[in-house]
């Protein structure tokens, strides 16, 4: 190899070494990574669970007719306040032809029987007055005559009931009128004039004429997960948030927890019922079947030392934090934690309020 080639190779090696050294020097001159720090705070930690459900009236009653027929008139409308006994609707009876025919035949036969009984009664009354027959025989004809009069009246009443739903002896009382059984607000009127309706009986629930509810007594019906049901008890306060009413909360008191859970989307849920406290006059009107979420406070710690959960680090399932000893110099410190709300966690021991705690997720750019 010539001397010139050797010199060129040596120069190239020296240049490579110099460039590598310069790169390493520049890398050593890069600023170290700096982390943000936070201090512990005194705050209230609340652990709660959320129950989803809806707000419904405590008492909601469906009004049904006592006879089958056609709606002749409706006297109420949705949203109207009515009292117990107020008239809601009137039903016009469409009689069954077979039943009507039987009732007319019964009336005709009762008239014939009454005429015959009257003739026998009048004839034997004269004989009794003349002393021809004994009083006991006369009383039998009198009894037959009175029974015939009553049968005719019953037949007339039966025919009136089939045709009109009321009889002459019942006066103003008729089962064709549908009246409210409670005081409250009309929620729905699902029928219109001319609709056919069916009476409530053993084999049929009947047609609903109107739904009435007391809107002053509302309850929340919801469900909680089985992991939380053992932590709640009757008498606990609930904070309701109704989706349709923004920026307002309503208070409720837990009344009942179902003893049996039901499976829902692969999880076991337990039904709860809570009574709403009467809203203030300046709060929005709560309508039936509003969807709502209820916050149930399970545990609470007032005025305790707490840090953000993002500051926690773990080693062998033991929590620790890194406390700043000097600028950007940290030491590990084991801590004991308490209640957590998912964002902040209570610190029972291990740190002081003045300690600067490293936030491993906050890197300060240089």
């Amino acid at each position: 190899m010539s001397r010139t080639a050797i010199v060129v190779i040596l120069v190239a090696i020296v240049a490579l070494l110099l460039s590598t050294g310069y790169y390493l020097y520049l890398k050593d001159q890069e600023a170290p990574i700096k982390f943000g720090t936070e201090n512990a705070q005194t705050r209230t930690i609340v652990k709660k669970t959320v129950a989803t459900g809806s707000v419904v009236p405590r008492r909601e009653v469906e009004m049904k007719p006592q006879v089958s027929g056609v709606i002749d008139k409706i006297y109420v409308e949705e949203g109207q306040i009515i009292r117990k006994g107020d008239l809601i609707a009137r039903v016009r009876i469409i009689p069954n032809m077979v039943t009507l025919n039987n009732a007319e035949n019964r009336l005709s036969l009762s008239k014939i029987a009454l005429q015959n009984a009257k003739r026998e009664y009048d004839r034997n009354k004269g004989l009794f007055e003349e002393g021809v027959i004994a009083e006991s025989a006369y009383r039998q004809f009198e009894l037959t005559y009175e029974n015939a009069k009553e049968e005719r009246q019953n037949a007339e009443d039966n025919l009136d009931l089939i045709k009109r739903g009321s009889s002459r002896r019942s006066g103003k009382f008729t089962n064709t009128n549908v009246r409210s059984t409670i005081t409250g607000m009309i929620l729905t009127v699902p029928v219109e004039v001319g609709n056919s309706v069916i009476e409530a009986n053993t084999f049929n629930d009947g047609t609903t004429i109107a739904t009435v509810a007391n809107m002053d007594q509302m309850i929340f019906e919801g469900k909680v997960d089985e992991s939380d049901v053992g932590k709640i008890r009757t008498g606990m306060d609930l904070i309701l948030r109704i989706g349709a009413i923004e920026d307002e909360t309503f208070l409720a008191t837990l009344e009942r927890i179902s003893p049996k859970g039901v499976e829902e989307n692969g999880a076991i849920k337990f039904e709860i019922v809570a009574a709403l406290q009467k809203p203030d006059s300046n709060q929005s009107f709560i309508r039936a079947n509003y969807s709502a979420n209820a916050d149930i406070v399970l545990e609470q710690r007032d005025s305790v030392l707490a840090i953000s959960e993002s500051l926690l680090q773990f080693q062998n399932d033991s929590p620790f934090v890194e406390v700043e000893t000097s600028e950007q110099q940290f030491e590990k410190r084991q801590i004991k934690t308490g209640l957590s709300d998912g964002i902040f966690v209570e610190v029972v021991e291990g740190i002081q309020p003045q300690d600067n705690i490293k936030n491993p997720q906050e890197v300060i750019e240089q």
Side-chain angles (χ1 to χ4, degrees):
M1 182 181 294
S2 66
R3 222 170 139 177
T4 302
I6 294 174
V7 172
V8 172
I9 293 174
L10 291 176
V11 172
I13 292 173
V14 171
L16 180 61
L17 292 174
L18 289 176
S19 62
T20 301
Y22 183 69
Y23 170 77
L24 295 176
Y25 170 77
L26 291 178
K27 190 172 182 180
D28 289 340
Q29 297 304 309
E30 290 181 0
I33 298 175
K34 289 188 177 182
F35 293 94
T37 60
E38 296 181 18
N39 298 105
Q41 305 173 16
T42 299
R43 62 189 307 121
T44 297
I45 304 292
V46 179
K47 183 180 181 182
K48 59 187 179 181
T49 185
V50 178
T52 59
S54 58
V55 178
V56 298
R58 181 182 294 276
R59 189 180 182 193
E60 183 175 327
V61 181
E62 294 181 345
M63 304 301 165
K64 300 179 183 294
Q66 295 178 318
V67 294
S68 299
V70 175
I71 297 294
D72 190 45
K73 191 170 183 179
I74 297 176
Y75 298 93
V76 297
E77 59 184 15
E78 295 177 357
Q80 180 178 337
I81 302 297
I82 62 173
R83 302 190 63 81
K84 181 179 180 179
D86 286 352
L87 189 61
I88 293 176
R90 186 177 67 227
V91 178
R92 183 176 75 253
I93 295 178
I94 306 298
N96 179 278
M97 296 309 297
V98 174
T99 305
L100 179 61
N101 183 66
N102 291 337
E104 290 176 343
N105 290 339
R106 176 185 173 186
L107 179 58
S108 298
L109 292 175
S110 67
K111 289 179 179 179
I112 295 173
L114 178 60
Q115 292 174 357
N116 182 65
K118 188 175 185 310
R119 284 196 300 268
E120 291 296 320
Y121 169 72
D122 291 340
R123 184 173 64 84
N124 285 279
K125 181 180 180 181
L127 295 175
F128 170 68
E129 291 174 351
E130 294 175 0
V132 177
I133 60 175
E135 182 179 359
S136 58
Y138 163 70
R139 294 303 178 190
Q140 290 295 325
F141 291 104
E142 184 182 37
L143 179 61
T144 301
Y145 175 56
E146 293 296 333
N147 288 339
K149 288 197 296 183
E150 187 65 27
E151 172 60 21
R152 178 187 173 180
Q153 185 63 55
N154 291 339
E156 289 179 347
D157 291 343
N158 182 58
L159 184 59
D160 288 339
L161 288 172
I162 293 173
K163 285 183 174 181
R164 299 189 299 270
S166 63
S167 63
R168 294 183 177 85
R169 284 193 290 184
S170 64
K172 64 178 181 179
F173 297 102
T174 173
N175 55 6
T176 59
N177 290 337
V178 180
R179 297 182 180 274
S180 176
T181 57
I182 64 170
T183 297
M185 177 184 289
I186 299 291
L187 297 185
T188 61
V189 183
V191 296
E192 296 180 358
V193 173
N195 287 160
S196 297
V197 294
I198 302 173
E199 65 181 291
N201 52 52
T202 307
F203 305 101
N204 196 297
D205 290 337
T207 305
T208 299
I209 302 295
T211 304
V212 184
N214 184 354
M215 300 299 286
D216 292 331
Q217 298 181 11
M218 306 291 286
I219 60 173
F220 169 78
E221 293 181 345
K223 293 180 180 180
V224 296
D225 191 80
E226 62 178 330
S227 60
D228 295 323
V229 71
K231 303 173 186 177
I232 62 177
R233 62 187 182 279
T234 55
M236 296 180 72
D237 292 331
L238 281 69
I239 301 175
L240 293 184
R241 290 180 172 83
I242 298 175
I245 304 177
E246 298 181 356
D247 304 325
E248 288 189 42
T249 59
F250 301 86
L251 298 179
T253 304
L254 187 59
E255 285 188 342
R256 187 175 75 248
I257 306 170
S258 174
K260 180 181 179 180
V262 294
E263 185 175 353
E264 187 176 290
N265 297 326
I268 302 299
K269 303 282 188 177
F270 288 81
E271 185 179 27
I272 62 171
V273 174
L276 264 72
Q277 298 181 15
K278 192 171 182 179
D280 298 333
S281 57
N282 58 346
Q283 286 186 303
S284 301
F285 174 69
I286 301 177
R287 302 180 186 276
N289 287 355
Y290 266 158
S291 60
N293 294 327
D295 292 336
I296 308 174
V297 177
L298 302 178
E299 295 182 69
Q300 181 170 326
R301 301 281 192 276
D302 296 322
S303 302
V304 296
L305 196 65
I307 61 173
S308 173
E309 286 203 352
S310 62
L311 303 181
L312 286 180
Q313 301 182 61
F314 293 88
Q315 184 176 22
N316 298 327
D317 295 332
S318 298
F320 71 90
V321 294
E322 294 185 64
V323 178
E324 188 176 40
T325 56
S326 59
E327 187 175 359
Q328 290 298 304
Q329 299 296 318
F330 302 95
E331 68 173 9
K332 290 183 179 181
R333 191 174 296 179
Q334 299 291 330
I335 63 172
K336 183 178 180 181
T337 59
L339 186 64
S340 171
D341 62 3
I343 301 176
F344 292 93
V345 59
E346 176 190 6
V347 179
V348 179
E349 59 182 39
I351 60 173
Q352 299 299 323
Q354 65 272 16
D355 290 338
N356 293 326
I357 303 170
K358 174 182 175 181
N359 186 346
Q361 300 179 10
E362 182 183 356
V363 178
I364 301 176
E365 296 183 356
Q366 299 300 310

